[in-house]
Amino acid sequence: MKYSSGVTEKKLTKKQNSIVASEKYPQYLRAGAGTGKTEVARILSRILYDAGILEEAKLVETDAHGLLGKFVGETGPKTEAKINEAMNGVLFIDEAYGLLGAASANSGQINYGEEAIAVLLKEMEDRRGQFCVILAGYNAEMQKLLAANPGFASRIQFTLDFPDYTREELGEIAKAFLSRKKYEIDASALERLLDVIEYYRGLPNFANARTVRNVIDQVLLNQNLRTEDLSKDCTVLLEDVEDYLTDEGIGLANPHKRKNPIGFV
């Protein structure tokens, strides 16, 4: 699920309209990193507000750490406080699977995550319709979270899947990032940049648009060094991307085998 066009927002609106009849507000977003989960959560909060389902177009963002205390007796009030903050709006819990296995560092026995889940489920039931909960995270980990407590599965009626961006979409994202910084990119340089992104796609923790942004930041450093005496040159060339490959010790002819890059420890 992408969020870059008005068409997507219309589709989300159409899907959300069915919530009015069922009054089942919790959502579940399955996605990899850098696919726009938070932005879509913001769109959903506006849709729910415009539809008259929620009183405020408000999104309160948190993760598991925002709900968990460090000591006995802290987690319940902390979770309640975050829910109260989101009241009449949307509570967005990113990487919600972090609630699993959140045990006490002191005893190794108390699972504060279970307490947070219990409070969250109780408030979702007792204050039904007063706020919306959106859980987000990687597909496999989120499946484990839902399986760990049947209360989640019975309360979450809508699931949105976010596939990784395609090569072409990542190319558009790269050009958008560069445009914001007032840069252009040569066609051959863009193709090589996308080859680099495809290399990272095959590695753990690939982060879609975030990966693109991180690579572009490094490539722009190379471009700036190359054009330091040419203040008006704002074009990224193939050699800037090739320099990135050299710096990182990446050989695209032999994917996923990295040489030791030169650097400082």
Side-chain angles (χ1 to χ4, degrees), residues 11 19 27 46 50 55 87 90 137 159 189 203 207 230 251-252:
K11 289 181 179 178
I19 299 175
Q27 313 287 304
R46 294 197 300 270
D50 290 341
E55 295 183 13
M87 197 53 53
V90 173
T159 300
L203 297 177
L230 304 170
L252 293 183

Side-chain angles (χ1 to χ4, degrees), residues 18-197:
S18 64
I19 299 175
V20 178
S22 64
E23 291 192 343
K24 294 187 179 296
Y25 303 141
Q27 313 287 304
Y28 165 34
L29 310 183
R30 297 185 301 202
T35 52
K37 299 184 297 294
T38 304
E39 182 62 24
V40 168
R42 292 191 183 103
I43 292 173
L44 287 172
S45 70
R46 294 197 300 270
I47 290 172
L48 290 169
Y49 171 73
D50 290 341
I53 297 171
L54 294 176
E55 295 183 13
E56 299 180 46
K58 176 174 65 176
L59 182 77
V60 175
E61 302 176 39
T62 187
D63 57 14
H65 296 293
L67 304 179
L68 301 175
K70 295 181 179 179
F71 305 102
V72 174
E74 286 187 335
T75 294
K78 191 172 182 180
T79 302
E80 287 273 8
K82 189 61 67 173
I83 292 171
N84 288 334
E85 182 183 351
M87 197 53 53
N88 298 320
V90 173
L91 176 61
F92 176 65
I93 307 175
D94 199 9
E95 299 181 353
Y97 47 79
L99 294 171
L100 292 177
S104 167
N106 297 325
S107 67
Q109 296 178 349
I110 301 174
N111 191 320
Y112 294 126
E114 290 183 353
E115 182 181 355
I117 290 172
V119 172
L120 183 62
L121 290 176
K122 183 177 186 301
E123 292 302 303
M124 288 166 65
E125 186 63 34
D126 293 350
R127 304 166 87 170
R128 184 184 181 88
Q130 298 178 43
F131 74 113
C132 170
V133 177
I134 298 180
L135 307 175
Y138 296 118
N139 190 10
E141 287 83 352
M142 291 299 290
Q143 293 285 14
K144 292 178 182 177
L145 174 64
L146 296 185
N149 193 310
F152 271 139
S154 65
R155 288 173 173 81
I156 296 174
Q157 301 297 315
F158 296 92
T159 300
L160 297 177
D161 286 305
F162 293 64
D164 285 342
Y165 288 110
T166 65
R167 180 185 176 101
E168 292 73 20
E169 289 170 332
L170 291 171
E172 293 300 314
I173 289 170
K175 288 189 287 186
F177 280 150
L178 288 166
S179 177
R180 290 175 193 167
K181 295 176 179 288
K182 309 301 182 183
Y183 284 90
E184 296 179 349
I185 186 167
D186 179 79
S188 60
L190 178 61
E191 285 304 309
R192 197 57 167 167
L193 177 68
L194 293 176
D195 290 340
V196 175
I197 302 305

